[in-house]
Amino acid sequence: NAGVMQNPRHLVRRRGQEARLRCSPMKGHSHVYWYRQLPEEGLKFMVYLQKENIIDESGMPKERFSAEFPKEGPSILRIQQVVRGDSAAYFCASSPGGRTEAFFGQGTRLTVV
Amino acid sequence: AQRVTQPEKLLSVFKGAPVELKCNYSYSGSPELFWYVQYSRQRLQLLLRHISRESIKGFTADLNKGETSFHLKKPFAQEEDSAMYYCALSPLTGTASKLTFGTGTRLQVTL
């Protein structure tokens, strides 16, 4: 099992562009979580998804951010019209069930220039 | 609101010395507490959780509800313990993996 795979590892976008971050969960895992880590801060929960459903998006900014986890394919975190403040490391985690240990990916470092 | 505080950004100890990484939390309900570790160029991984009461790689952590603390301890530090350590909290009910993290402490073990 290759573990949680995130790509790209590094992403550079100009202000106003869109950023798409992908997360392939571990085999057999149907729960995906996205976290954001701003410089000098801890990881902050953004959204929790199961296949085709958003379970908890209480940590998602109200505008420009969206997430999906389709029946087939990876989970996508999409940031529209990026701004400098979106520069951060974005981590994805997956688990086989909601109350079991989640396994983290290596993160995507987004830089907005 | 729940909050996790790790007061030290960096903790430097000599090999063989005892280690204590501090973690304090605030949460109105019953929490589950975790320690995660990130070794250089590796992904974040679970080190231990208070519910399992295990000792992993010589590390232990006891939940002190009176002091709202969950400090991570090891009696004798090893070079390979050098890493970033994050304390995290989750409500005991609901989703285990919706975690609130502290800002992390970098442990540096020197010879």
Side-chain angles (χ1 to χ4, degrees):
Chain A
N1 202 327
V4 178
M5 302 301 292
Q6 289 188 249
N7 67 80
R9 292 289 308 278
H10 301 275
L11 181 62
V12 180
R13 284 287 176 266
R14 294 186 188 281
R15 280 177 294 170
Q17 290 185 318
E18 180 180 283
R20 279 183 178 243
L21 288 63
R22 290 175 203 79
C23 169
S24 296
M26 287 178 70
K27 191 175 180 181
H29 288 192
S30 58
H31 298 243
V32 164
Y33 308 80
W34 285 93
Y35 290 81
R36 177 167 67 172
Q37 185 177 31
L38 295 169
E40 305 295 320
E41 295 188 17
L43 282 75
K44 286 192 168 38
F45 169 80
M46 298 181 76
V47 63
Y48 162 36
L49 310 106
Q50 292 180 30
K51 286 281 186 182
E52 300 186 279
N53 285 308
I54 296 175
I55 306 302
D56 183 343
E57 55 181 348
S58 57
M60 286 280 268
K62 292 286 183 276
E63 296 175 348
R64 301 188 297 108
F65 284 71
S66 62
E68 62 176 9
F69 188 18
K71 191 175 177 183
E72 302 290 338
S75 175
I76 306 282
L77 179 68
R78 185 178 173 211
I79 311 171
Q80 295 178 289
Q81 299 173 327
V82 295
V83 300
R84 287 238 170 92
D86 297 332
S87 295
Y90 291 83
F91 291 91
C92 170
S94 75
S95 71
R99 292 242 12 113
T100 53
E101 177 189 350
F103 294 82
F104 281 81
Q106 291 194 294
T108 294
R109 188 162 297 280
L110 172 66
T111 302
V112 179
V113 297
Chain B
Q2 51 214 50
R3 187 180 179 92
V4 176
T5 303
Q6 293 180 251
E8 301 144 326
K9 272 191 171 181
L10 172 67
L11 182 64
S12 188
V13 301
F14 288 110
K15 180 181 172 182
V19 173
E20 184 179 51
L21 297 166
K22 290 187 169 39
C23 171
N24 288 88
Y25 68 91
S26 63
Y27 180 62
S28 55
S30 293
E32 185 170 7
L33 274 297
F34 306 81
W35 276 99
Y36 280 81
V37 60
Q38 188 172 28
Y39 300 103
S40 179
R41 297 195 195 89
Q42 294 187 28
R43 60 192 68 200
L44 200 65
Q45 55 188 284
L46 180 65
L47 181 62
L48 52 81
R49 57 202 301 177
H50 91 269
I51 276 182
S52 57
R53 294 184 175 273
E54 292 174 303
S55 172
I56 306 291
K57 299 185 179 183
F59 284 98
T60 57
D62 290 315
L63 179 61
N64 185 323
K65 291 185 179 179
E67 295 182 0
T68 59
S69 68
F70 188 56
H71 303 326
L72 184 68
K73 298 177 184 178
K74 184 169 182 177
F76 308 104
Q78 303 298 317
E79 274 185 273
E80 56 266 28
D81 296 329
S82 295
M84 196 74 186
Y85 290 81
Y86 294 93
C87 182
L89 173 155
S90 171
L92 201 54
T93 56
T95 308
S97 298
K98 182 182 174 181
L99 297 160
T100 298
F101 283 87
T103 49
T105 298
R106 181 169 298 283
L107 176 64
Q108 193 172 278
V109 181
T110 55
L111 295 174

